[in-house]
Amino acid sequence: MMPMDWDTLKAACLACEKCDLCKTRTQVVFGTGSPTAEVLFVGEGPGQKEDEQGLPFVGRSGQLLDVYLETIKLSRQKNIFIANIVKCRPPGNRDPLPEEREACLPWLREQFSLIRPKIIVCLGRIAAQVIIKPDYAIMKEHGTWVEKNGVWMTATLHPAALLRNPKQKPLAFEDYVAIREKIHEVCAHTY
Ligand code: URA
């Protein structure tokens, strides 16, 4: 993909027809937050509410995500960016297919190149397997950190999984506390 500025990238992404999800989507969910954020959160893909509103994490799992963000003084209005592996809703909320991920990944790569975050937080298994490593075991490895080319990466449990298994909420809380510590360590203007 050619180097682009943020607005050009967004306009091109909103018009994307690189996979069949364009046929069933209502809106492309480009992502939301600050394009100069030092912390990038990456989810799996839009659900129904996100598809309707064109914004990531606006349904029930988004409300839970916002609670965790608030506890560590992060906000989608101010100091983070939130994106997804696939920008269009897979019908019936199925997992995105490998070819859909492949078609969509250049958009996330370009967002990453322009934002140049210091920290990437993967929300759930799918994002962790795409961004950190293909065999990422979310229950075993969430909350651990790897550094790749100067970027610190971690994953936490997907908020939708926490809604299904509320007993796991304290595990996620620990991950967010560790994220706050890492921000203090490596970020200059997030807090
Ligand atoms: N789940 C995700 O992974 N992403 C969203 O944007 C919403 C729900």
Side-chain angles (χ1 to χ4, degrees), residues 5-190:
D5 66 32
W6 190 256
D7 292 341
T8 312
L9 176 69
K10 185 168 180 179
C13 182
L14 295 186
C16 181
E17 297 188 344
K18 285 195 238 171
C19 83
D20 280 350
L21 294 180
C22 73
K23 296 179 185 158
T24 47
R25 76 180 177 222
T26 311
Q27 298 193 60
V28 176
V29 179
F30 177 72
T32 195
S34 164
T36 62
E38 293 172 303
V39 188
L40 172 63
F41 282 79
V42 182
E44 174 179 334
Q48 185 184 352
K49 286 271 183 309
E50 290 76 21
D51 175 67
E52 284 165 13
Q53 297 184 36
L55 292 167
F57 286 98
V58 288
R60 280 184 69 223
S61 45
Q63 287 170 13
L64 181 57
L65 175 63
D66 282 338
V67 170
Y68 283 103
L69 293 176
E70 206 175 309
T71 61
I72 60 163
K73 298 275 179 289
L74 295 178
S75 137
R76 57 172 91 204
Q77 277 84 32
K78 284 210 277 287
N79 51 7
I80 60 169
F81 194 84
I82 307 179
N84 279 307
I85 296 290
V86 295
K87 311 294 194 217
C88 296
R89 182 192 183 206
N93 296 349
R94 61 163 169 73
D95 285 356
L97 302 173
E99 61 263 34
E100 293 161 353
R101 288 184 216 168
E102 281 311 306
C104 207
L105 218 45
W107 297 120
L108 184 64
R109 287 211 182 90
E110 204 69 15
Q111 289 177 312
F112 171 80
S113 313
L114 291 173
I115 298 172
R116 300 207 293 127
K118 299 272 195 310
I119 293 176
I120 299 180
V121 180
C122 301
L123 296 167
R125 176 182 58 89
I126 299 274
Q129 290 185 342
V130 171
I131 292 174
I132 301 176
K133 58 174 183 174
D135 60 348
Y136 196 92
I138 189 76
M139 285 317 296
K140 205 170 117 219
E141 298 184 81
H142 73 92
T144 61
W145 291 84
V146 287
E147 198 236 64
K148 281 194 209 173
N149 303 318
V151 182
W152 285 94
M153 303 183 183
T154 191
T156 186
L157 308 179
H158 195 290
L162 298 173
L163 290 172
R164 288 191 300 270
N165 300 299
K167 284 197 179 132
Q168 293 172 352
K169 285 181 181 181
L171 297 176
F173 180 73
E174 285 177 27
D175 296 342
Y176 284 87
V177 171
I179 293 164
R180 179 174 62 194
E181 278 169 23
K182 187 61 80 180
I183 292 172
H184 280 300
E185 238 176 87
V186 304
C187 294
H189 60 76
T190 297

